[in-house]
Amino acid sequence: MSILELKNLSLTLNGRKILSNLDMDFLEGHVHAVVGPNGAGKSTLAYTIMGLEGYRNIEGDIIFGGESIKGMGIAERAKRGITLGWQEPARYEGLTVKKFIMASSAEKSIDEVEDALRKVGLNPDDYMNRAVDKTLSGGERKKVELASILAMRPKFVMLDEPDSGIDVSSLEKIFEGIKLLKSYGSTIVLITHSLAVMKQAERAFLMCGGKLVEKGGIDKIKPYFEKECLPCEHKNLPDKGDKNGN
Amino acid sequence: MSIRICRTKVIKMEIDDLLKLAGEDEALKDKETAHLTINLNKVVSKNIVPGLHIDTEEIEDGINVKVIVDEGIVIEKKVHMCFGVTHDKALQKIVMEIDVKKNAKISILSHCIFPKAIDVKHIMDAKVRVREGASYSYEEKHIHSMEGGIEVYPKAEIELDKNARFKTEFELIKGRVGKLDIDYEITGKEGSVMEMTSKVSGRSDDLIKIREAGNLIGEKARGVLTSRVAVRGNAKAEVYNVMVATAPYARGHVDCKEIIQDNGVARAIPIVEVKHPKAHITHEAAIGSVDTKQLETLMSRGVGEEEAVDLIIEGLLS
């Protein structure tokens, strides 16, 4: 059963059509991958589903749990259980890891915060009182962000380039986190151009130039990585649309 | 070691409440922790430890306080000071003279508490001398009423002798600022280290003016001036950070961040002046609204916009 559906979704930014007539469905409790080269529109798709500022003026519709979320802001969508893990997580001067995760926490308990940190391989004694700022490495911030998502227990989570800027052992922790989220019943969308990340998924969508060019099982999409974008004759340019920017 | 207590029953009750508000009540029970508690112009309680001298003298509308730390004395436990006014209308002048003798070390945590202020003026005028090789750390935390009827004028002139260290942090994030006008000036001789930080959160029609000036006059003197200010509602803030280096290998850094919300207005005026070719000063200043990505990240976790802004500002001022 689909938990989130995109119905003929298009997004135009500065007169350029960045997402073009997307029809996609995400199955409840499944792990999905959205793959494609740089400029394909993968991150834009995640921002649009999350409803970030500047990504809300869409054509078509986004249906979540049978309800249109088209007119909703970020917080309303998050309260329904949608969340996003950024490719480059935000830094916060002075805001502690404890407070950052606690803000997301479903139960608002210290135990839950500590538990989430342990699950991503971070010792709470070492991290609870550290700030989510530049003193954390990129990999540590990725793990702290994943811990905040685990503590939130979302229904639908999009992870944008979860392997970006982290080492091999950290990537294993990220993959374990993805499995945990699945065990919670979360629907997961991995935005990636990495085959290793895509292999964590059960279904995949291949995007190129803001369009959906293929979808199906991992084996069906895998040749994209092996033959470098062969299925879509990728030119790495979004559709410019007509002279009116449509 | 001696304890002198002078208080009426009524004042005691009020001061006890005041100290609880500051979380100081437990620290002041420890006989090995030196402290000084003043309500308006009266010494309510005092405790000193060996090597530390605190003399007080009542003056009209205030009090003179003289603090001396003897040469070579290291005061292990933080000294607690509380300058409170339990009245709703008052003028409180604190004239402080602090002399940290050669190779001595002291750390003071000072609470300035005005929980009922409707029309209160608090003036602090301090002269500080940190002698050769000595170290002085001073934290000043303000707790104000939500009425905004307070004016605070902290002024300090600090002299750092050779290899002396001075660190100060001013914090006013609880209650309304009212009107604040900080004026600190430090001069650092050879090998000295100065660190000045101010953290202020203004709202409504609060007025904030911060002037922090560091003069690096000695070879290898170092200094950092840091300001973190948030203004909401119709609050206004002006931050003047001045750092001047006149000696070889002097190193300084000025860092000012101000967040504005609603109709708040913030100005940052960093002045860096280098008068020696082997000295070096850097500065950074940022003024603006809350960072969009920080805000959207928290909101995407289900945190409401207002709460997310509060969290970000709380972090910045922590």
Side-chain angles (χ1 to χ4, degrees):
Chain A
M1 194 178 81
S2 295
I3 187 167
L4 189 137
E5 291 174 81
L6 307 180
K7 291 186 177 292
N8 201 27
L9 177 77
S10 295
L11 176 77
T12 302
L13 295 175
N14 301 324
R16 289 187 130 198
K17 207 164 191 177
I18 307 296
L19 300 178
S20 194
N21 307 99
L22 298 177
D23 283 301
M24 296 163 78
D25 62 328
F26 298 91
L27 302 182
E28 187 167 9
H30 283 65
V31 183
H32 307 75
V34 175
V35 301
N38 292 337
K42 306 182 302 291
S43 295
T44 301
L45 174 63
Y47 300 161
T48 305
I49 293 172
M50 195 66 246
L52 302 190
E53 188 72 36
Y55 295 86
R56 256 178 259 159
N57 190 21
I58 59 167
E59 294 168 58
D61 210 345
I62 305 170
I63 309 294
F64 181 70
E67 174 190 26
S68 171
I69 58 168
K70 187 175 175 176
M72 294 180 187
I74 307 170
E76 280 177 281
R77 295 181 196 208
K79 281 192 168 47
R80 279 164 174 75
I82 301 173
T83 197
L84 168 66
W86 266 255
Q87 179 178 354
E88 173 79 18
R91 295 170 178 172
Y92 298 85
E93 182 175 334
L95 182 64
T96 60
V97 167
K98 179 169 76 179
K99 284 190 176 172
F100 176 68
I101 299 176
M102 185 72 91
S104 313
S105 161
E107 293 173 11
K108 303 283 178 216
S109 75
I110 292 287
D111 287 349
E112 190 180 39
V113 174
E114 291 183 345
D115 189 46
L117 279 172
R118 280 190 208 99
K119 280 173 177 157
V120 296
L122 299 179
N123 182 350
D125 293 340
D126 296 336
Y127 285 89
M128 289 286 269
N129 294 317
R130 285 186 67 179
V132 188
D133 62 10
K134 60 187 175 187
T135 61
L136 293 180
S137 70
E140 286 172 321
R141 277 189 290 124
K142 279 282 216 205
K143 287 180 185 175
V144 167
E145 174 150 272
L146 184 58
S148 80
I149 290 170
L150 287 167
M152 181 187 175
R153 300 202 172 219
K155 288 181 185 166
F156 186 88
V157 54
M158 298 166 284
L159 300 176
D160 192 1
E161 306 287 3
D163 59 334
S164 142
I166 58 172
D167 57 32
V168 177
S169 62
S170 295
L171 189 57
E172 282 307 313
K173 282 291 170 193
I174 301 285
F175 288 165
E176 284 173 27
I178 291 166
K179 289 187 180 83
L180 261 172
L181 282 164
K182 183 173 162 58
S183 74
Y184 295 165
S186 300
T187 303
I188 299 152
V189 180
L190 306 171
I191 309 286
T192 185
H193 52 240
S194 148
L195 180 58
V197 174
M198 189 185 79
K199 282 180 175 173
Q200 305 302 309
E202 296 153 287
R203 303 174 73 224
F205 298 92
L206 174 61
M207 286 183 70
C208 194
K211 294 175 182 164
L212 179 65
V213 291
E214 192 62 272
K215 65 179 177 180
I218 300 306
D219 289 341
K220 190 174 175 184
I221 306 299
K222 205 170 147 190
Y224 155 75
F225 290 95
E226 291 163 351
K227 296 179 182 174
E228 293 184 0
C229 207
L230 191 65
C232 64
E233 296 176 359
H234 174 60
K235 289 184 172 61
N236 204 20
L237 285 172
D239 187 344
K240 287 182 179 174
D242 63 26
K243 61 183 178 183
N244 297 319
N246 295 315
Chain B
M1 194 184 306
S2 70
I3 304 173
R4 281 198 286 143
I5 298 171
C6 167
R7 53 192 165 187
T8 66
K9 202 171 182 181
V10 174
I11 289 177
K12 184 191 178 305
M13 280 175 65
E14 287 181 336
I15 286 292
D16 283 352
D17 290 344
L18 208 110
L19 295 172
K20 271 183 193 164
L21 202 62
E24 286 278 343
D25 48 336
E26 288 304 314
L28 269 56
K29 288 175 188 166
D30 178 12
K31 289 180 181 174
E32 290 176 4
T33 297
H35 78 258
L36 174 69
T37 305
I38 289 167
N39 187 17
L40 194 58
N41 64 341
K42 304 278 183 212
V43 176
V44 178
S45 70
K46 183 172 93 167
N47 181 41
I48 54 170
V49 294
L52 172 67
H53 309 274
I54 302 178
D55 293 319
T56 55
E57 178 195 3
E58 277 182 34
I59 53 173
E60 191 184 354
D61 299 322
I63 195 156
N64 286 338
V65 181
K66 192 167 184 180
V67 178
I68 296 172
V69 187
D70 289 341
E71 185 174 328
I73 291 290
V74 175
I75 297 172
E76 300 286 351
K77 289 193 172 183
K78 201 174 267 189
V79 176
H80 290 247
M81 289 191 176
C82 179
F83 301 101
V85 174
T86 54
H87 313 65
D88 55 1
K89 293 178 182 176
L91 168 64
Q92 183 186 46
K93 284 185 199 167
I94 309 286
V95 181
M96 284 192 85
E97 199 178 319
I98 296 175
D99 191 351
V100 186
K101 302 284 188 190
K102 191 176 174 183
N103 296 327
K105 189 175 179 183
I106 183 170
S107 179
I108 296 177
L109 171 60
S110 177
H111 279 95
C112 296
I113 312 174
F114 313 100
K116 297 176 185 169
I118 293 172
D119 182 11
V120 170
K121 190 181 276 190
H122 169 81
I123 299 169
M124 170 78 80
D125 198 345
K127 282 197 171 28
V128 179
R129 177 88 182 265
V130 187
R131 296 187 190 252
E132 186 177 340
S135 172
Y136 175 38
S137 165
Y138 181 74
E139 287 173 74
E140 182 170 324
K141 293 177 189 284
H142 280 244
I143 301 175
H144 290 188
S145 72
M146 291 308 291
E147 308 302 323
I150 183 155
E151 295 180 23
V152 175
Y153 300 92
K155 186 180 175 192
E157 284 175 35
I158 300 117
E159 276 184 64
L160 306 182
D161 288 359
K162 186 179 174 183
N163 295 329
R165 300 180 79 95
F166 175 70
K167 183 178 179 179
T168 182
E169 187 171 314
F170 180 94
E171 180 186 292
L172 204 175
I173 56 177
K174 288 182 180 172
R176 285 275 309 280
V177 170
K179 185 178 177 187
L180 170 69
D181 190 347
I182 295 178
D183 187 358
Y184 284 178
E185 177 116 18
I186 311 187
T187 302
K189 291 182 183 163
E190 182 185 345
S192 64
V193 179
M194 60 177 80
E195 288 179 66
M196 270 194 285
T197 302
S198 49
K199 297 174 178 179
V200 183
S201 176
R203 60 194 75 221
S204 192
D205 58 353
D206 290 341
L207 289 174
I208 299 160
K209 189 174 169 190
I210 297 170
R211 181 184 173 274
E212 292 175 332
N215 301 298
L216 305 168
I217 64 167
E219 188 170 325
K220 293 184 182 173
R222 287 164 287 157
V224 179
L225 309 180
T226 307
S227 307
R228 298 288 181 265
V229 177
V231 282
R232 285 179 269 199
N234 295 312
K236 290 186 172 72
E238 282 187 357
V239 179
Y240 299 84
N241 292 127
V242 184
M243 183 72 89
V244 181
T246 54
Y249 309 109
R251 293 284 180 272
H253 182 65
V254 173
D255 178 4
C256 175
K257 278 192 188 144
E258 296 181 74
I259 287 183
I260 61 162
Q261 294 283 293
D262 313 319
N263 298 315
V265 178
R267 297 174 79 191
I269 303 141
I271 298 171
V272 294
E273 192 176 341
V274 177
K275 292 180 178 172
H276 194 285
K278 287 182 177 170
H280 188 74
I281 300 178
T282 52
H283 80 86
E284 53 184 311
I287 304 180
S289 187
V290 169
D291 179 79
T292 305
K293 190 171 179 179
Q294 292 178 343
L295 189 63
E296 287 184 333
T297 298
L298 286 166
M299 289 172 73
S300 75
R301 303 285 185 274
V303 181
E305 186 170 352
E306 206 170 312
E307 191 188 342
V309 169
D310 285 347
L311 263 174
I312 294 165
I313 290 176
E314 186 189 317
L316 188 79
L317 298 176
S318 68

